Structures are given as C-alpha cells and as structure tokens.
Amino acid sequence: MTFISKNIKHLRGLKKLSQEALSEELKVNRSRIGSYEEGRSAPTVEFLIQLSDYFKIPIDILLRKDLTKAKDFSFIELNNQRVLFPITVDSDNEDLIEVVPVKASAGYLAGYDDPEFIEQLQKIKLPFLPTGKHRAFPIKGDSMLPLKDGSYVIGRFIESRNDIKTGRTYVLVTANDGIVYKRVMNNIDFNGSLLLMSDNKFYHDYSVPINEVLELWEYVCSINTQEYSEEELKYSSIMNMFTELGVELKALEKLVN
C-alpha cells in the first residue's frame, strides 16, 4: 500500500506551504501537486526523487509509511543517510512515548533505525513531559544508583551533538556497547569522544568515540519498577549511599533537618 498522496499533503502542511509554493520549490506545475495529493495520478520517479531530496526523507518511507501519524518530524544521520524520526501522537494530539522492553533491548541496536521495529513498540503517555521526542529505556545493573536494576529512564532525543551538556545523564545507543545509561563529559572538541561515568564509583569511567554513538537521549525522568525497602529508606542508609557516590551532602542535610 502506498501513502504518497496523503504524505505529500501532510509534509507540505508541516512546512506551511501552499500547493503553489511547493510547486515553485520543486519546479513543477501546481496542478501536478493537486493531482498527486488527490490521488488522481501517480507521481513519476523523477518527482519522487525531487520530493525525497527536498524533504530529506527516503523514497521508501514516503511510499510505505503513513506520516500523518506524526505531528512533527526530524531526522538522524545514519551512514550518510537521513532517516525519519517522527513524533507520534494519539487521538488527542498528545505525544506518545515508545517503551523499549527488556526483552527487546538486545534487538534495539539492529532495529533502532527501522520504522517498522519502532512502530511495534508499546507506547505510553506522560502529559507532564516537555515537548520533544521521548523514549523509555530499561536500566540494567546498579552503576547508576539510586536507580534500581529494572527501572526505566525516559529520555528526550538529542539530535545535535552540540547540545550535549557535560555533567548531565544520557541514555546512549552505541555501536559496540549497546544501550548504556551514564553521566557524560563532553570531550568532543578535545579528542572526539564522550567520557561516560557511573554514579556508583565502584565502576570505572570509560570513553566512547562520538562516531560510535548512534543515538543520544537526555534524561527527563525515571520510573522505578521496584519498591525501596525500609532499610534503603532510612536516613543513615541514604547518607551512606550518597557518601559512597561522592555527592555533596550539605543541601541534603539542610533538607532533612
């Protein structure tokens, strides 16, 4: 099935272009745009190439995917190709968050740039999140205490490497280490890499070349799937944990006292 007719109209609307304006951009007659949008004729191969180049969306996506499900669209660079990265919305026009389950996290590295793989992920809605593209990732291990193993981190997609902030935490999809959640030091201008640090100082820091980072998601919030025990919630236990993590305690002490 092809969605090209509705996709042309939708993409034109996202750029707030009239049929006349789009026809001028693509150097074709306005009547051709109208004919394609109304499904009265099929676009030529030459027109599809022009459309793909203009919107920077692969032709197979234009033909096979219903882009009207996205209220906005952005792209990520993958091997010199730009891949569609839509923000999906529900019937109330509210952003939906794709959830990467534990059982699918191993396959995410192979499917993160596959729209069909992403489309099959379960989705949730959290109305308090800021605008942007969000995704939920499962956390394994205890390297980022106090987050427990099995928690989920919801991250906002970072398109530009220039937006990476030193000291903030990110979910990174890497070519060699898979999905990791770490505190990041931006060393791109210095040596072309990111220094990844664990909040649990039992784990060593390590660097990842920026060209091995496939996706970056800045921490927005987390969902804990396990209840904290009474011992874990004791003030002494919390103080000891933060002391081990090397966190400044003055603000915490004032808050508790």
Side-chain angles (χ1 to χ4, degrees), residues 31-73:
S31 59
R32 284 184 62 186
I33 301 295
S35 177
Y36 295 155
E37 288 186 359
E38 295 166 15
R40 290 184 282 109
S41 61
T44 63
V45 172
E46 291 76 13
F47 179 83
L48 289 174
I49 293 173
Q50 287 179 286
L51 196 69
S52 174
D53 289 343
Y54 181 73
F55 286 108
K56 306 246 182 333
I57 299 178
I59 292 176
D60 64 325
I61 297 293
L62 289 170
L63 293 173
R64 298 172 55 209
K65 297 300 174 183
D66 184 359
L67 303 184
T68 61
K69 295 179 180 179
K71 71 174 183 181
D72 194 3
F73 60 93

Side-chain angles (χ1 to χ4, degrees), residues 67-86:
L67 303 184
T68 61
K69 295 179 180 179
K71 71 174 183 181
D72 194 3
F73 60 93
S74 58
F75 308 87
I76 54 176
E77 295 283 350
L78 293 172
N79 300 323
N80 298 321
Q81 293 184 349
R82 291 172 68 82
V83 177
L84 177 69
F85 207 67

Side-chain angles (χ1 to χ4, degrees), residues 178-194:
I179 301 173
V180 297
Y181 172 55
K182 297 292 180 183
R183 196 168 299 279
V184 170
M185 178 172 287
N186 188 346
N187 291 330
I188 295 176
D189 292 337
F190 174 62
N191 60 12
S193 71
L194 300 176

Side-chain angles (χ1 to χ4, degrees), residues 10-193:
H10 180 63
L11 293 173
R12 178 172 61 79
L14 287 178
K15 278 188 171 289
K16 296 180 171 55
L17 296 172
S18 64
Q19 288 185 350
E20 184 70 31
L22 180 60
S23 68
E24 291 178 359
E25 292 285 342
L26 301 180
K27 296 179 172 52
V28 299
N29 294 329
R30 187 208 62 77
S31 59
R32 284 184 62 186
I33 301 295
S35 177
Y36 295 155
E37 288 186 359
E38 295 166 15
R40 290 184 282 109
S41 61
T44 63
V45 172
E46 291 76 13
F47 179 83
L48 289 174
I49 293 173
Q50 287 179 286
L51 196 69
S52 174
D53 289 343
Y54 181 73
F55 286 108
K56 306 246 182 333
I57 299 178
I59 292 176
D60 64 325
I61 297 293
L62 289 170
L63 293 173
R64 298 172 55 209
K65 297 300 174 183
D66 184 359
L67 303 184
T68 61
K69 295 179 180 179
K71 71 174 183 181
D72 194 3
F73 60 93
S74 58
F75 308 87
I76 54 176
E77 295 283 350
L78 293 172
N79 300 323
N80 298 321
Q81 293 184 349
R82 291 172 68 82
V83 177
L84 177 69
F85 207 67
I87 299 175
T88 54
V89 297
D90 63 7
S91 58
D92 297 322
N93 204 39
E94 294 187 5
D95 295 350
L96 295 175
I97 302 164
E98 294 105 357
V99 179
V100 180
V102 174
K103 63 180 180 180
S105 60
Y108 186 84
L109 192 62
Y112 73 98
D113 61 338
D114 181 355
E116 292 186 2
F117 175 85
I118 299 302
E119 195 173 272
Q120 293 173 4
L121 295 177
Q122 292 187 345
K123 298 174 180 61
I124 60 174
K125 179 170 61 176
L126 295 177
F128 56 81
L129 291 183
T131 58
K133 174 64 183 176
H134 298 86
R135 192 162 289 164
F137 295 89
I139 300 304
K140 299 178 181 179
D142 61 352
S143 68
M144 293 299 286
L145 292 173
L147 280 183
K148 285 173 167 277
D149 180 60
S151 299
Y152 278 82
V153 165
I154 296 176
R156 180 178 63 86
F157 180 67
I158 302 299
E159 183 174 3
S160 173
R161 300 321 194 225
N162 297 326
D163 294 333
I164 302 172
K165 305 179 184 71
T166 287
R168 298 295 299 271
T169 59
Y170 295 84
V171 173
L172 302 94
V173 180
T174 66
N176 295 317
D177 297 318
I179 301 173
V180 297
Y181 172 55
K182 297 292 180 183
R183 196 168 299 279
V184 170
M185 178 172 287
N186 188 346
N187 291 330
I188 295 176
D189 292 337
F190 174 62
N191 60 12
S193 71

